[in-house]
Amino acid sequence: MRRHVAVVVHPGFQLLDAAGPTTVFEIAERCRPDSYELVLLSPGGGDVESSSGLKLLTRPLRDGPFDTVIVSGGEIIRSIEAMDEIVAWLRRVPARRTTSVCTGAYLLARAGLLDGRRATTHWASSHDFHRRYPKVRLDAERIFIRDGDIWTSAGISAGIDLALALVEDDLGAEVARRTAQQIVMHQRRPGGQSQFSAFVELGGRTGRFAALIEWVRANLAEPLTVECLADHAAMSPRNFARAFTSETGVTPAKAVERMRLETARTAIETSHLPLERIAEAAGFGDPGRMRRAFLRTLGQPPQAFRAAAEHRELHSGRPSSGSAGLRAVPVHKRTKANERT
């Protein structure tokens, strides 16, 4: 069955928001002929200029039905008229599923399609989005979210992950894997993966805590309590916790846990170190605590990430590295310091 996919752009759209998913469906079509038929649409049709100045040739918005509608993000306020036309079109066009990339979620929300649903968008737009659309259950930490027949994704490259997930939903994991290989991606990132590092790595919206974040990453095996972090930042614990949360959008404890998760996941996927050693070095203290953090945040246990990495290694023929850059921490070094944030 050939699925009709409409990619919708507008003046000021982000080029990769459209080109990334389009490429995924193009490659999937090669892997499984007669699977997809793509059309690029915009209000009025014709040449549409992207935020980079490059233009794409489009057809005018038309009534479907479509199997899938993908709305790109970008400078969505460059043309209010175009934005309103897309919103009106979204409200009436029949589609099996409707999706957005990055700030394209604004158009879905304005059309009322996200009311009461879980959704995501680019982390930098999360506060503004939540203020404008309080009925949406925004989770700006996820790279993509599916809520029934509505799929939303985070910024730019996450649109590729979204498209691969759509292909897997349609044609199965094997076609999605082959598609990812063709576009030189190791695998589709799971939707539960966090956007967290993008803004916390920078130290928050103003970069105020950049040096602190760098220090935390270098000392993950230490007891990183709020008091410890506040002392390093030369602030009182209460003032530090309030300022850090305002700057980064997450509490200090959550930030530390996410950095530990990222470090542990990298070690799990790129080395053959025992999980117990990884848990110690990343600051979790023991594999059980690390496993609970993985399930809570990433939706899968550490063993699942290792199994997926071993599968990729087997098919690529490239062995994993030995230590993945983890600092050596003796496995027997277990004290109360391990019971920390």
PDB file of all heavy atoms in Angstrom, residues 64-92:
ATOM      1  N   GLY A  64      -6.618  16.366   1.289  1.00  0.00           N
ATOM      2  CA  GLY A  64      -6.110  15.015   1.087  1.00  0.00           C
ATOM      3  C   GLY A  64      -7.087  14.105   0.377  1.00  0.00           C
ATOM      4  O   GLY A  64      -7.698  14.514  -0.610  1.00  0.00           O
ATOM      5  N   PRO A  65      -7.253  12.926   0.906  1.00  0.00           N
ATOM      6  CA  PRO A  65      -6.678  12.511   2.189  1.00  0.00           C
ATOM      7  C   PRO A  65      -5.186  12.182   2.079  1.00  0.00           C
ATOM      8  O   PRO A  65      -4.699  11.842   1.003  1.00  0.00           O
ATOM      9  CB  PRO A  65      -7.474  11.262   2.539  1.00  0.00           C
ATOM     10  CG  PRO A  65      -7.843  10.680   1.199  1.00  0.00           C
ATOM     11  CD  PRO A  65      -8.068  11.852   0.294  1.00  0.00           C
ATOM     12  N   PHE A  66      -4.497  12.316   3.214  1.00  0.00           N
ATOM     13  CA  PHE A  66      -3.097  11.950   3.309  1.00  0.00           C
ATOM     14  C   PHE A  66      -2.939  10.890   4.386  1.00  0.00           C
ATOM     15  O   PHE A  66      -3.711  10.841   5.341  1.00  0.00           O
ATOM     16  CB  PHE A  66      -2.237  13.165   3.673  1.00  0.00           C
ATOM     17  CG  PHE A  66      -2.231  14.231   2.622  1.00  0.00           C
ATOM     18  CD1 PHE A  66      -2.988  15.379   2.791  1.00  0.00           C
ATOM     19  CD2 PHE A  66      -1.469  14.094   1.480  1.00  0.00           C
ATOM     20  CE1 PHE A  66      -3.000  16.374   1.832  1.00  0.00           C
ATOM     21  CE2 PHE A  66      -1.463  15.086   0.507  1.00  0.00           C
ATOM     22  CZ  PHE A  66      -2.231  16.227   0.685  1.00  0.00           C
ATOM     23  N   ASP A  67      -1.941  10.051   4.203  1.00  0.00           N
ATOM     24  CA  ASP A  67      -1.604   9.120   5.272  1.00  0.00           C
ATOM     25  C   ASP A  67      -0.927   9.886   6.403  1.00  0.00           C
ATOM     26  O   ASP A  67      -1.276   9.725   7.568  1.00  0.00           O
ATOM     27  CB  ASP A  67      -0.667   8.025   4.758  1.00  0.00           C
ATOM     28  CG  ASP A  67      -0.237   7.079   5.866  1.00  0.00           C
ATOM     29  OD1 ASP A  67      -1.002   6.150   6.183  1.00  0.00           O
ATOM     30  OD2 ASP A  67       0.855   7.290   6.434  1.00  0.00           O
ATOM     31  N   THR A  68       0.048  10.723   6.036  1.00  0.00           N
ATOM     32  CA  THR A  68       0.853  11.429   7.036  1.00  0.00           C
ATOM     33  C   THR A  68       1.061  12.876   6.615  1.00  0.00           C
ATOM     34  O   THR A  68       1.374  13.150   5.452  1.00  0.00           O
ATOM     35  CB  THR A  68       2.234  10.754   7.211  1.00  0.00           C
ATOM     36  OG1 THR A  68       2.052   9.383   7.558  1.00  0.00           O
ATOM     37  CG2 THR A  68       3.061  11.447   8.281  1.00  0.00           C
ATOM     38  N   VAL A  69       0.903  13.788   7.553  1.00  0.00           N
ATOM     39  CA  VAL A  69       1.206  15.202   7.346  1.00  0.00           C
ATOM     40  C   VAL A  69       2.356  15.571   8.271  1.00  0.00           C
ATOM     41  O   VAL A  69       2.314  15.278   9.473  1.00  0.00           O
ATOM     42  CB  VAL A  69      -0.016  16.098   7.638  1.00  0.00           C
ATOM     43  CG1 VAL A  69       0.389  17.572   7.671  1.00  0.00           C
ATOM     44  CG2 VAL A  69      -1.107  15.863   6.597  1.00  0.00           C
ATOM     45  N   ILE A  70       3.395  16.194   7.726  1.00  0.00           N
ATOM     46  CA  ILE A  70       4.550  16.631   8.510  1.00  0.00           C
ATOM     47  C   ILE A  70       4.682  18.142   8.362  1.00  0.00           C
ATOM     48  O   ILE A  70       4.857  18.646   7.249  1.00  0.00           O
ATOM     49  CB  ILE A  70       5.844  15.952   8.037  1.00  0.00           C
ATOM     50  CG1 ILE A  70       5.721  14.429   8.133  1.00  0.00           C
ATOM     51  CG2 ILE A  70       7.039  16.449   8.848  1.00  0.00           C
ATOM     52  CD1 ILE A  70       6.909  13.687   7.563  1.00  0.00           C
ATOM     53  N   VAL A  71       4.588  18.871   9.469  1.00  0.00           N
ATOM     54  CA  VAL A  71       4.668  20.334   9.445  1.00  0.00           C
ATOM     55  C   VAL A  71       6.051  20.756   9.940  1.00  0.00           C
ATOM     56  O   VAL A  71       6.441  20.431  11.065  1.00  0.00           O
ATOM     57  CB  VAL A  71       3.576  20.959  10.328  1.00  0.00           C
ATOM     58  CG1 VAL A  71       3.667  22.481  10.282  1.00  0.00           C
ATOM     59  CG2 VAL A  71       2.196  20.493   9.865  1.00  0.00           C
ATOM     60  N   SER A  72       6.772  21.476   9.110  1.00  0.00           N
ATOM     61  CA  SER A  72       8.120  21.896   9.480  1.00  0.00           C
ATOM     62  C   SER A  72       8.087  23.107  10.394  1.00  0.00           C
ATOM     63  O   SER A  72       7.119  23.862  10.431  1.00  0.00           O
ATOM     64  CB  SER A  72       8.932  22.224   8.219  1.00  0.00           C
ATOM     65  OG  SER A  72       8.358  23.329   7.549  1.00  0.00           O
ATOM     66  N   GLY A  73       9.170  23.292  11.133  1.00  0.00           N
ATOM     67  CA  GLY A  73       9.316  24.458  11.976  1.00  0.00           C
ATOM     68  C   GLY A  73      10.178  25.511  11.307  1.00  0.00           C
ATOM     69  O   GLY A  73      10.394  25.491  10.100  1.00  0.00           O
ATOM     70  N   GLY A  74      10.660  26.426  12.105  1.00  0.00           N
ATOM     71  CA  GLY A  74      11.473  27.516  11.571  1.00  0.00           C
ATOM     72  C   GLY A  74      10.942  28.846  12.045  1.00  0.00           C
ATOM     73  O   GLY A  74      10.392  28.962  13.146  1.00  0.00           O
ATOM     74  N   GLU A  75      11.077  29.861  11.212  1.00  0.00           N
ATOM     75  CA  GLU A  75      10.574  31.195  11.554  1.00  0.00           C
ATOM     76  C   GLU A  75       9.088  31.258  11.211  1.00  0.00           C
ATOM     77  O   GLU A  75       8.687  31.859  10.206  1.00  0.00           O
ATOM     78  CB  GLU A  75      11.359  32.259  10.801  1.00  0.00           C
ATOM     79  CG  GLU A  75      12.856  32.257  11.119  1.00  0.00           C
ATOM     80  CD  GLU A  75      13.630  33.207  10.223  1.00  0.00           C
ATOM     81  OE1 GLU A  75      13.009  33.939   9.421  1.00  0.00           O
ATOM     82  OE2 GLU A  75      14.868  33.206  10.317  1.00  0.00           O
ATOM     83  N   ILE A  76       8.285  30.662  12.068  1.00  0.00           N
ATOM     84  CA  ILE A  76       6.866  30.511  11.725  1.00  0.00           C
ATOM     85  C   ILE A  76       6.115  31.829  11.729  1.00  0.00           C
ATOM     86  O   ILE A  76       5.017  31.914  11.172  1.00  0.00           O
ATOM     87  CB  ILE A  76       6.169  29.514  12.675  1.00  0.00           C
ATOM     88  CG1 ILE A  76       6.244  30.007  14.115  1.00  0.00           C
ATOM     89  CG2 ILE A  76       6.750  28.132  12.531  1.00  0.00           C
ATOM     90  CD1 ILE A  76       5.462  29.158  15.086  1.00  0.00           C
ATOM     91  N   ILE A  77       6.680  32.886  12.319  1.00  0.00           N
ATOM     92  CA  ILE A  77       5.968  34.181  12.333  1.00  0.00           C
ATOM     93  C   ILE A  77       6.418  35.086  11.195  1.00  0.00           C
ATOM     94  O   ILE A  77       6.014  36.242  11.137  1.00  0.00           O
ATOM     95  CB  ILE A  77       6.152  34.909  13.679  1.00  0.00           C
ATOM     96  CG1 ILE A  77       7.634  35.218  13.925  1.00  0.00           C
ATOM     97  CG2 ILE A  77       5.566  34.106  14.818  1.00  0.00           C
ATOM     98  CD1 ILE A  77       7.858  36.134  15.116  1.00  0.00           C
ATOM     99  N   ARG A  78       7.248  34.593  10.286  1.00  0.00           N
ATOM    100  CA  ARG A  78       7.671  35.435   9.176  1.00  0.00           C
ATOM    101  C   ARG A  78       6.462  35.876   8.350  1.00  0.00           C
ATOM    102  O   ARG A  78       6.424  36.975   7.823  1.00  0.00           O
ATOM    103  CB  ARG A  78       8.693  34.706   8.294  1.00  0.00           C
ATOM    104  CG  ARG A  78       9.170  35.542   7.123  1.00  0.00           C
ATOM    105  CD  ARG A  78      10.156  34.828   6.231  1.00  0.00           C
ATOM    106  NE  ARG A  78      11.459  34.655   6.866  1.00  0.00           N
ATOM    107  CZ  ARG A  78      12.539  34.246   6.201  1.00  0.00           C
ATOM    108  NH1 ARG A  78      12.446  33.962   4.897  1.00  0.00           N
ATOM    109  NH2 ARG A  78      13.695  34.116   6.817  1.00  0.00           N
ATOM    110  N   SER A  79       5.484  34.978   8.217  1.00  0.00           N
ATOM    111  CA  SER A  79       4.266  35.305   7.477  1.00  0.00           C
ATOM    112  C   SER A  79       3.053  34.854   8.283  1.00  0.00           C
ATOM    113  O   SER A  79       2.754  33.660   8.344  1.00  0.00           O
ATOM    114  CB  SER A  79       4.261  34.637   6.101  1.00  0.00           C
ATOM    115  OG  SER A  79       3.000  34.793   5.476  1.00  0.00           O
ATOM    116  N   ILE A  80       2.384  35.794   8.938  1.00  0.00           N
ATOM    117  CA  ILE A  80       1.189  35.484   9.710  1.00  0.00           C
ATOM    118  C   ILE A  80       0.105  34.914   8.798  1.00  0.00           C
ATOM    119  O   ILE A  80      -0.622  33.987   9.169  1.00  0.00           O
ATOM    120  CB  ILE A  80       0.665  36.733  10.441  1.00  0.00           C
ATOM    121  CG1 ILE A  80       1.722  37.247  11.422  1.00  0.00           C
ATOM    122  CG2 ILE A  80      -0.632  36.422  11.168  1.00  0.00           C
ATOM    123  CD1 ILE A  80       2.073  36.281  12.514  1.00  0.00           C
ATOM    124  N   GLU A  81       0.004  35.461   7.603  1.00  0.00           N
ATOM    125  CA  GLU A  81      -1.014  34.987   6.657  1.00  0.00           C
ATOM    126  C   GLU A  81      -0.798  33.516   6.318  1.00  0.00           C
ATOM    127  O   GLU A  81      -1.740  32.721   6.300  1.00  0.00           O
ATOM    128  CB  GLU A  81      -0.977  35.828   5.385  1.00  0.00           C
ATOM    129  CG  GLU A  81      -2.043  35.435   4.361  1.00  0.00           C
ATOM    130  CD  GLU A  81      -1.983  36.291   3.109  1.00  0.00           C
ATOM    131  OE1 GLU A  81      -1.156  37.224   3.059  1.00  0.00           O
ATOM    132  OE2 GLU A  81      -2.764  36.023   2.171  1.00  0.00           O
ATOM    133  N   ALA A  82       0.460  33.142   6.043  1.00  0.00           N
ATOM    134  CA  ALA A  82       0.764  31.747   5.721  1.00  0.00           C
ATOM    135  C   ALA A  82       0.498  30.850   6.926  1.00  0.00           C
ATOM    136  O   ALA A  82      -0.041  29.744   6.793  1.00  0.00           O
ATOM    137  CB  ALA A  82       2.214  31.614   5.270  1.00  0.00           C
ATOM    138  N   MET A  83       0.863  31.323   8.116  1.00  0.00           N
ATOM    139  CA  MET A  83       0.647  30.542   9.328  1.00  0.00           C
ATOM    140  C   MET A  83      -0.841  30.276   9.529  1.00  0.00           C
ATOM    141  O   MET A  83      -1.243  29.137   9.809  1.00  0.00           O
ATOM    142  CB  MET A  83       1.218  31.288  10.535  1.00  0.00           C
ATOM    143  CG  MET A  83       1.065  30.547  11.848  1.00  0.00           C
ATOM    144  SD  MET A  83       1.943  31.345  13.223  1.00  0.00           S
ATOM    145  CE  MET A  83       0.981  32.861  13.376  1.00  0.00           C
ATOM    146  N   ASP A  84      -1.649  31.301   9.372  1.00  0.00           N
ATOM    147  CA  ASP A  84      -3.098  31.134   9.561  1.00  0.00           C
ATOM    148  C   ASP A  84      -3.689  30.184   8.523  1.00  0.00           C
ATOM    149  O   ASP A  84      -4.606  29.413   8.825  1.00  0.00           O
ATOM    150  CB  ASP A  84      -3.793  32.492   9.484  1.00  0.00           C
ATOM    151  CG  ASP A  84      -3.521  33.353  10.709  1.00  0.00           C
ATOM    152  OD1 ASP A  84      -3.084  32.798  11.730  1.00  0.00           O
ATOM    153  OD2 ASP A  84      -3.744  34.577  10.635  1.00  0.00           O
ATOM    154  N   GLU A  85      -3.168  30.247   7.305  1.00  0.00           N
ATOM    155  CA  GLU A  85      -3.683  29.361   6.251  1.00  0.00           C
ATOM    156  C   GLU A  85      -3.345  27.902   6.560  1.00  0.00           C
ATOM    157  O   GLU A  85      -4.174  27.002   6.359  1.00  0.00           O
ATOM    158  CB  GLU A  85      -3.110  29.757   4.894  1.00  0.00           C
ATOM    159  CG  GLU A  85      -3.764  29.015   3.737  1.00  0.00           C
ATOM    160  CD  GLU A  85      -3.351  29.562   2.372  1.00  0.00           C
ATOM    161  OE1 GLU A  85      -2.874  30.714   2.301  1.00  0.00           O
ATOM    162  OE2 GLU A  85      -3.504  28.814   1.377  1.00  0.00           O
ATOM    163  N   ILE A  86      -2.132  27.657   7.067  1.00  0.00           N
ATOM    164  CA  ILE A  86      -1.745  26.290   7.429  1.00  0.00           C
ATOM    165  C   ILE A  86      -2.602  25.785   8.583  1.00  0.00           C
ATOM    166  O   ILE A  86      -3.056  24.638   8.588  1.00  0.00           O
ATOM    167  CB  ILE A  86      -0.247  26.226   7.796  1.00  0.00           C
ATOM    168  CG1 ILE A  86       0.611  26.478   6.554  1.00  0.00           C
ATOM    169  CG2 ILE A  86       0.097  24.866   8.411  1.00  0.00           C
ATOM    170  CD1 ILE A  86       2.096  26.589   6.844  1.00  0.00           C
ATOM    171  N   VAL A  87      -2.842  26.639   9.572  1.00  0.00           N
ATOM    172  CA  VAL A  87      -3.655  26.255  10.726  1.00  0.00           C
ATOM    173  C   VAL A  87      -5.065  25.873  10.287  1.00  0.00           C
ATOM    174  O   VAL A  87      -5.613  24.843  10.712  1.00  0.00           O
ATOM    175  CB  VAL A  87      -3.698  27.394  11.760  1.00  0.00           C
ATOM    176  CG1 VAL A  87      -4.769  27.137  12.807  1.00  0.00           C
ATOM    177  CG2 VAL A  87      -2.333  27.551  12.428  1.00  0.00           C
ATOM    178  N   ALA A  88      -5.660  26.679   9.434  1.00  0.00           N
ATOM    179  CA  ALA A  88      -7.003  26.376   8.937  1.00  0.00           C
ATOM    180  C   ALA A  88      -7.006  25.067   8.152  1.00  0.00           C
ATOM    181  O   ALA A  88      -7.951  24.268   8.256  1.00  0.00           O
ATOM    182  CB  ALA A  88      -7.507  27.526   8.068  1.00  0.00           C
ATOM    183  N   TRP A  89      -5.967  24.849   7.376  1.00  0.00           N
ATOM    184  CA  TRP A  89      -5.849  23.615   6.581  1.00  0.00           C
ATOM    185  C   TRP A  89      -5.708  22.396   7.495  1.00  0.00           C
ATOM    186  O   TRP A  89      -6.328  21.351   7.251  1.00  0.00           O
ATOM    187  CB  TRP A  89      -4.642  23.751   5.653  1.00  0.00           C
ATOM    188  CG  TRP A  89      -4.381  22.567   4.775  1.00  0.00           C
ATOM    189  CD1 TRP A  89      -5.005  22.240   3.607  1.00  0.00           C
ATOM    190  CD2 TRP A  89      -3.382  21.547   4.994  1.00  0.00           C
ATOM    191  NE1 TRP A  89      -4.467  21.085   3.078  1.00  0.00           N
ATOM    192  CE2 TRP A  89      -3.473  20.646   3.911  1.00  0.00           C
ATOM    193  CE3 TRP A  89      -2.438  21.322   5.985  1.00  0.00           C
ATOM    194  CZ2 TRP A  89      -2.636  19.533   3.806  1.00  0.00           C
ATOM    195  CZ3 TRP A  89      -1.609  20.216   5.885  1.00  0.00           C
ATOM    196  CH2 TRP A  89      -1.717  19.339   4.801  1.00  0.00           C
ATOM    197  N   LEU A  90      -4.908  22.527   8.554  1.00  0.00           N
ATOM    198  CA  LEU A  90      -4.724  21.412   9.484  1.00  0.00           C
ATOM    199  C   LEU A  90      -6.031  21.011  10.148  1.00  0.00           C
ATOM    200  O   LEU A  90      -6.253  19.826  10.439  1.00  0.00           O
ATOM    201  CB  LEU A  90      -3.693  21.790  10.554  1.00  0.00           C
ATOM    202  CG  LEU A  90      -2.225  21.821  10.118  1.00  0.00           C
ATOM    203  CD1 LEU A  90      -1.352  22.446  11.212  1.00  0.00           C
ATOM    204  CD2 LEU A  90      -1.729  20.423   9.781  1.00  0.00           C
ATOM    205  N   ARG A  91      -6.896  21.969  10.392  1.00  0.00           N
ATOM    206  CA  ARG A  91      -8.169  21.685  11.060  1.00  0.00           C
ATOM    207  C   ARG A  91      -9.117  20.881  10.185  1.00  0.00           C
ATOM    208  O   ARG A  91     -10.001  20.189  10.703  1.00  0.00           O
ATOM    209  CB  ARG A  91      -8.826  22.995  11.478  1.00  0.00           C
ATOM    210  CG  ARG A  91      -8.145  23.671  12.658  1.00  0.00           C
ATOM    211  CD  ARG A  91      -8.707  25.058  12.891  1.00  0.00           C
ATOM    212  NE  ARG A  91      -8.123  25.683  14.093  1.00  0.00           N
ATOM    213  CZ  ARG A  91      -8.132  26.980  14.337  1.00  0.00           C
ATOM    214  NH1 ARG A  91      -8.706  27.819  13.462  1.00  0.00           N
ATOM    215  NH2 ARG A  91      -7.591  27.455  15.437  1.00  0.00           N
ATOM    216  N   ARG A  92      -8.933  20.942   8.876  1.00  0.00           N
ATOM    217  CA  ARG A  92      -9.906  20.274   8.003  1.00  0.00           C
ATOM    218  C   ARG A  92      -9.339  19.103   7.207  1.00  0.00           C
ATOM    219  O   ARG A  92     -10.093  18.261   6.726  1.00  0.00           O
ATOM    220  CB  ARG A  92     -10.502  21.289   7.021  1.00  0.00           C
ATOM    221  CG  ARG A  92      -9.533  21.792   5.956  1.00  0.00           C
ATOM    222  CD  ARG A  92     -10.219  22.664   4.905  1.00  0.00           C
ATOM    223  NE  ARG A  92      -9.333  23.024   3.818  1.00  0.00           N
ATOM    224  CZ  ARG A  92      -8.588  24.123   3.782  1.00  0.00           C
ATOM    225  NH1 ARG A  92      -8.628  24.988   4.800  1.00  0.00           N
ATOM    226  NH2 ARG A  92      -7.795  24.375   2.750  1.00  0.00           N
TER     227      ARG A  92
END
